[in-house]
Amino acid sequence: MSYALVSGAGSGIGRATVERLHADGYPVIAVDIARPDAALAKQWREQGIAFLALDVGNRDALLPAITELSESRAISTLINCAGISSYGRATDIKPAEWQRVMNINLNGSLWLCQALLPDMLARRQGCIVNVASIFGLQACDNNLAYNVAKGGIVQLTRSLAADYAHCGIRSNAVAPGLIETPMTAAIKHAPDTHQKFIDWHLQGRAGRAEEVAAAIAFLCSADASFVNGQILAVDGGFSAGRRFGSTN
Ligand code: NAD
């Protein structure tokens, strides 16, 4: 089996995806800006998972490193998972914050596609799964840059399908709802907001990183061989509708 490269691999959804794809038999390359702690580094070494410390937003460093890597091993699966949260509205967001979020949450996914697509196209074999968000489908207040970047990921996914589906490349995205990860731990400090957010998920709970990883693994698998340009919400029903609770 050829390699799967996962960005944002050191934590949360990315880490669960590395574990899931490894369990499914993929040789995995884990990319993250932060080095794994000693325990995770040891685990990955023992599992034969390669780690690369890279900032997905730094195109000048990323492109040569990934291109060189893809010259020595076939990388047919790309999971664009690196991302950061952000707060702010049009009236108060600072240009530097806007740029930072666009750079990591949107541009970084494109740069990794640019690094890996030439080889995928040459082999006419490739699968890209981008990690969008329910806030790429709907907007949330005080979340401008994140909403816009994730909306961009949705259209990046469809554009990749429009451009390369006929060349043997599948490009899809997951749009997670609230998932319990280090990124969302801070919301728990505002219990009312946290509960309200949970209540908007029809299943009445937050999701687990492993549940998103399972959806990503499906999109990577042969079972999804005719799925292309799609955005799969993994959100416990958040985007499906609202429940008023008049019946049990
Ligand atoms: P997390 O904070 O647990 O993990 C994010 C990882 O990305 C970290 O390991 C971090 O070091 C890495 N990262 C950050 N900037 C990077 C950069 N410039 N280059 C390389 N790596 C970088 O977050 P998570 O909750 O697992 O989120 C993963 C993805 O899922 C993100 O794209 C996020 O927007 C998306 N998402 C998360 C949720 C949620 O509720 N947790 C919901 C929807 C979408």
Side-chain angles (χ1 to χ4, degrees), residues 156-175:
L156 171 68
T157 303
R158 293 175 179 145
S159 301
L160 290 168
D163 286 328
Y164 306 115
H166 69 290
C167 306
I169 311 294
R170 289 192 306 107
S171 167
N172 292 290
V174 290

Side-chain angles (χ1 to χ4, degrees), residues 24 41 119 143:
D24 286 355
D119 188 50
N143 205 33

